């Protein structure tokens, strides 16, 4: 799907919530979090903890309604003005519309319905007035042929906050604020047990949050690729990535055990108005929320009119929506200072959103094959004009990339390239195993970062690319399991040659395809680094195994290529 396209049909919303599996990192702060949450929840007992209290009781099932035979009633004609409003503001708009509808009239002239903006944007039949929860949806709808004109300023505003049970507020919020980069840091260091986000293609909160995450990571580095890697790190750590904020709040409201709420839902972005509505009710698990200081975003509610709609009636409706009523409903009547400006192009907003939505959560088994031949010592100039080497850029990109892999990943790393006449085709640098397992006193993730940070190519070393790939695929074939994706990720800046293992591309592909086993698939994700990389050979090996190849012809684009490779492994 290109950046200019928008799905014409949206997946059905989830009707049920299933408790996600608990991840290993949750145990790290479990004891401290339990104490904090129990203190905040007030009325909980240690007996609940001993009995392993789990998720709340299921919502009661409504009794069946007996069928009643009634005389036929003529259907109402099309209303004079149909209005689609974001669900959280629909009650306010419906009350305003009621002042324009004569009482007791079965077919009122103004009809208001609650509808998520993503659904309205993709609909063929369009309402006369549309009040979405962000002006961004208007440009999305325009690309799909639904043009609306905006009448005046937005009628309401609501910032996005990061919320969680009050008992852990001190863990993620400092001095009344939070940060997206702090959320990423907490995710990678296992400071937070659970982070939940909405689907950015369905939810305004999700769309704005993903934009804010990318804006925040862009401020941490001048390298756009590394910024993308850092943003994707948060995506790779989400417990749930398609949770509707309103349903999360409803689910949280049914919780009776604060500890379960922390581990099953944890931290999540939500509108200030939605959080206020939750806080008005005395739930067993109280919530707190704070704005992210490094990427403030805000839902605004434009009053948009479709061409051909009754403008006079629309103007009357807008006039009936008073500022006191807006404030009483928990919204702000003026925009918040310091919020991020959204890109004018919906493609720039939707690009990162699609990456998040299309990312597949799966167990990942990967072997990294890193070219350590002498050519990696060649000098280069990055996009900021700083001098360095290919190896120095690899070190910077690799350290960030090591954070991407989830805690259920099994991983190993080899270098290939040898200057010795009878040297091996590859050297094991980090032995294969669980990323959270211990290697030489460090977790395997830390060992990857340490080894990549100390990466030094061998001068005058050849490039036994083909033999290293054959060996790597054969090794990983023995690790294949039905519940995980198994891949070999290859990064090289050259072509096969300069070693005793040299072979023709035809001979290599023949060996590669001959060794394939449909019952034990191993895909190759290849990154060609620099203008001398043999992209033809890399594309051939990727195609032969159902993988993908990416070019980073400019060495400064290496991190972006690594991000593409990572996404390819999780979207194919």
């Amino acid at each position: 799907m290109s950046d200019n396209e928008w799905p014409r049909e949206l997946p059905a919303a989830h009707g049920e919530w299933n408790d996600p599996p608990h991840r290993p990192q949750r145990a790290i702060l479990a004891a401290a979090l339990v104490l904090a949450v129990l203190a905040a929840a007030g009325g909980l007992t240690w007996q609940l903890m001993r009995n392993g209290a789990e998720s709340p009781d299921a919502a009661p099932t409504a009794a069946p309604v007996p069928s009643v035979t009634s005389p036929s009633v003529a259907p109402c004609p099309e209303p004079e003005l149909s209005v689609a409003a974001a669900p959280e503001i629909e009650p306010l708009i419906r009350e305003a519309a009621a002042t324009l509808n004569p009482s007791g009239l079965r077919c009122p002239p103004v009809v208001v319905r609650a509808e998520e903006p993503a659904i309205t944007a993709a609909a063929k039949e369009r309402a006369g007035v549309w009040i979405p929860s962000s002006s961004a949806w208007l440009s999305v709808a325009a690309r799909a042929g639904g043009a609306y004109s905006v009448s005046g300023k937005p009628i309401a505003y609501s910032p996005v906050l990061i919320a969680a049970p009050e008992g852990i507020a001190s863990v993620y919020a400092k001095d009344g604020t939070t940060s997206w980069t702090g959320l990423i840091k907490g995710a990678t260091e296992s400071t937070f047990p659970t982070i939940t986000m909405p689907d950015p293609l369905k939810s305004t909160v999700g769309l704005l949050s993903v934009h804010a995450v990318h804006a925040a990571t862009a401020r941490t580095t001048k390298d756009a690729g590394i910024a993308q890697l850092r943003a994707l790190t948060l995506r790779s750590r989400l417990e749930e990535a398609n949770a509707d904020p309103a349903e999360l709040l409803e689910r949280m409201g049914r919780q009776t055990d604060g500890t379960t709420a922390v581990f099953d839902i944890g931290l999540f972005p939500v509108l200030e108005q939605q959080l206020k509505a939750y806080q008005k009710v005395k739930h067993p698990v109280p919530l707190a929320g704070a704005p992210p200081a490094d990427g403030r975003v805000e839902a605004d509610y434009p009053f948009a009119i479709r061409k051909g709609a009754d403008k006079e009636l629309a103007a009357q409706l807008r006039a009936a929506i008073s500022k006191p009523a807006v404030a009483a409903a928990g919204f702000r009547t003026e925009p918040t200072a310091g919020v991020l400006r959204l890109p004018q192009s919906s493609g720039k907003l939707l690009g990162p959103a699609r990456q998040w939505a299309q990312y597949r959560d799966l167990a990942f088994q990967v072997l990294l094959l890193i070219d350590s031949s002498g050519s990696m010592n060649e000098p280069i100039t990055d996009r900021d004009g700083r001098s360095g080497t290919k190896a120095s850029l690899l070190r910077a990109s690799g350290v960030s990339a090591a954070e991407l892999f989830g805690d259920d990943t099994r991983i190993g790393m080899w270098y290939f390239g040898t200057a010795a006449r009878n040297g091996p085709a590859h050297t094991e640098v980090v032995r294969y195993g669980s990323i959270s397992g211990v290697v030489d006193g460090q977790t395997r993730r830390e060992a990857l970062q340490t080894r990549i940070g100390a990466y030094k190519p061998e001068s005058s070393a050849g490039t036994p690319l083909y033999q290293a790939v054959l060996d790597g695929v054969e090794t990983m074939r023995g690790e294949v399991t039905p519940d995980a994706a198994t891949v070999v990720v290859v990064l090289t800046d050259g072509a096969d040659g300069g070693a005793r293992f040299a072979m023709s591309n035809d001979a290599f592909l023949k060996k590669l395809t001959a060794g394939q086993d449909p019952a034990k698939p191993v895909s190759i994700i290849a990154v060609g680094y620099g203008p001398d990389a043999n992209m033809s050979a890399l594309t051939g090996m990727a195609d032969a195994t159902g993988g993908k190849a990416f070019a980073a012809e400019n060495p400064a684009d290496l991190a972006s290529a690594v991000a593409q490779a990572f996404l390819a492994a999780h979207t194919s």
Side-chain angles (χ1 to χ4, degrees), residues 358-500:
Q358 294 168 359
Y359 179 97
R360 292 171 56 216
D361 289 311
L362 44 75
F364 201 40
Q365 301 189 137
V366 58
L367 178 62
L368 301 175
L369 298 184
I370 309 297
D371 189 339
S372 61
S373 61
S375 57
M376 292 292 287
N377 287 314
E378 292 176 356
I380 56 95
T381 301
D382 68 16
R383 292 198 177 279
D384 294 317
R386 293 173 298 190
S387 297
T389 64
K390 292 179 181 179
S392 65
L393 275 182
L394 174 60
R395 286 192 289 269
S397 301
V399 169
S400 295
E403 296 288 3
L404 286 171
F405 304 107
D407 286 347
D408 54 0
T409 300
R410 294 179 63 80
I411 192 168
M413 185 168 69
W414 295 356
Y415 289 164
F416 63 93
T418 177
R421 183 179 182 85
N422 296 316
H426 51 79
T427 303
E428 183 179 69
V429 183
V430 178
R431 67 177 181 272
Y432 181 82
S434 170
I435 200 165
S436 57
V438 177
V439 177
D440 299 329
Q442 297 178 298
T443 66
R444 190 165 272 99
R445 188 192 304 279
E446 292 169 338
L448 285 169
Q449 293 175 314
T450 299
R451 304 298 189 275
I452 293 174
Y455 166 76
K456 291 182 179 179
E458 266 193 273
S459 299
S460 304
T463 309
L465 170 63
Y466 292 157
Q467 189 60 53
V469 169
L470 291 173
D471 292 346
V473 169
E474 180 62 27
T475 297
M476 293 306 292
R477 190 172 289 120
E479 301 292 341
V480 171
T481 60
D483 58 347
T486 305
V487 300
V488 172
V489 177
V490 183
L491 190 150
T492 181
D493 74 330
D496 185 79
R500 64 188 176 93

Side-chain angles (χ1 to χ4, degrees), residues 271-365:
L271 294 178
E272 178 186 69
Q273 184 271 343
Q274 293 174 313
L275 182 61
K276 285 182 176 180
Y278 180 94
Q279 291 171 331
K280 284 184 178 180
V281 180
K282 299 300 182 182
H283 292 290
V285 181
L287 294 179
D294 58 351
R296 295 176 186 262
V297 281
E298 181 171 64
D300 65 346
Y301 295 81
F303 192 94
I305 305 174
R306 176 178 54 80
K307 183 179 180 181
D310 189 325
K311 292 186 177 180
E312 182 178 349
L313 195 53
Q316 293 176 16
L317 175 62
R318 173 161 188 127
I321 305 169
S322 68
K323 284 192 173 184
V326 169
F331 295 95
R332 299 190 182 194
T333 59
E334 296 295 331
T336 306
V339 298
L340 294 173
R341 296 185 62 179
L342 299 182
Q344 293 183 344
S345 166
S346 62
K348 291 183 178 179
L349 189 64
L350 294 175
R354 287 197 187 97
Q355 287 181 348
W356 280 55
Q358 294 168 359
Y359 179 97
R360 292 171 56 216
D361 289 311
L362 44 75
F364 201 40
Q365 301 189 137

Side-chain angles (χ1 to χ4, degrees), residues 17 56-59 247 249-256 278 283:
W17 289 96
D57 294 336
E247 292 184 11
L249 289 170
E250 181 183 352
R251 180 176 160 194
M252 186 71 80
R254 298 196 304 267
Q255 296 278 356
T256 58
Y278 180 94
H283 292 290

Side-chain angles (χ1 to χ4, degrees), residues 83-86 88-99 110 112-113 129 131 155 301 303 317 320-321 326:
V83 182
E88 64 275 10
I89 204 170
E90 184 269 344
L92 171 66
I93 307 305
R94 183 164 26 88
E95 289 180 7
T99 65
V110 182
V112 181
R113 71 176 184 269
V129 167
I131 307 174
I155 61 175
Y301 295 81
F303 192 94
L317 175 62
I321 305 169
V326 169

